Amino acid sequence: VNNIVASNYIAYQGSNNLKIGIIDSGVSYQWIAHSFNSIHRLAVMMGCTSETYTEAGVSNWVNLPHVMFEWVLEQNALVGSALLLPAFLIIGFASMIEYLVSNPVMMMCAMVGGYFICQKSGKTV
């Protein structure tokens, strides 16, 4: 609105994308934050709905990861990469699961595709 870009997701390093050392990873902070919150959204879908907040009004769900992420960004590129890669694999997997759970057509396609792959490889389902 009025040429102002706004988001409820935080960016770091004065950049839209994560930088590892001096290299722009191409992974946006928007994607990181939205995918990280997939885990929370899945927990809420399963009935875990209690939410608590810090004195500053920040959800405890994101406060500790935010502090940890800031710490990781202060580390050298090797340490940062070693810590971020497994985290991105986990949150990417959670994001994919959330997408499938909230999209019945895609879930059915994944199941049918998995069935045919098993049949082709000779494994029984």
Side-chain angles (χ1 to χ4, degrees), residues 47-79:
C48 303
T49 57
S50 63
E51 185 83 41
T52 58
Y53 299 90
T54 66
E55 289 182 15
V58 178
S59 167
N60 281 310
W61 172 254
V62 295
N63 189 54
L64 180 60
H66 164 69
V67 171
M68 291 169 60
F69 191 68
E70 282 186 324
W71 179 84
V72 169
L73 292 178
E74 293 171 359
Q75 307 310 305
N76 69 46
L78 184 61
V79 172

Side-chain angles (χ1 to χ4, degrees), residues 25-106:
S25 69
V27 178
S28 74
Y29 288 113
Q30 176 83 16
W31 179 87
I32 294 168
H34 188 74
S35 296
F36 172 78
N37 279 311
S38 291
I39 300 167
H40 187 230
R41 289 188 295 271
L42 285 168
V44 169
M45 283 183 207
M46 293 186 294
C48 303
T49 57
S50 63
E51 185 83 41
T52 58
Y53 299 90
T54 66
E55 289 182 15
V58 178
S59 167
N60 281 310
W61 172 254
V62 295
N63 189 54
L64 180 60
H66 164 69
V67 171
M68 291 169 60
F69 191 68
E70 282 186 324
W71 179 84
V72 169
L73 292 178
E74 293 171 359
Q75 307 310 305
N76 69 46
L78 184 61
V79 172
S81 298
L83 295 172
L84 291 175
L85 182 62
F88 287 171
L89 291 173
I90 292 167
I91 64 174
F93 182 74
S95 183
M96 181 187 69
I97 295 298
E98 179 197 20
Y99 181 73
L100 291 174
V101 166
S102 61
N103 228 318
V105 172
M106 291 306 295

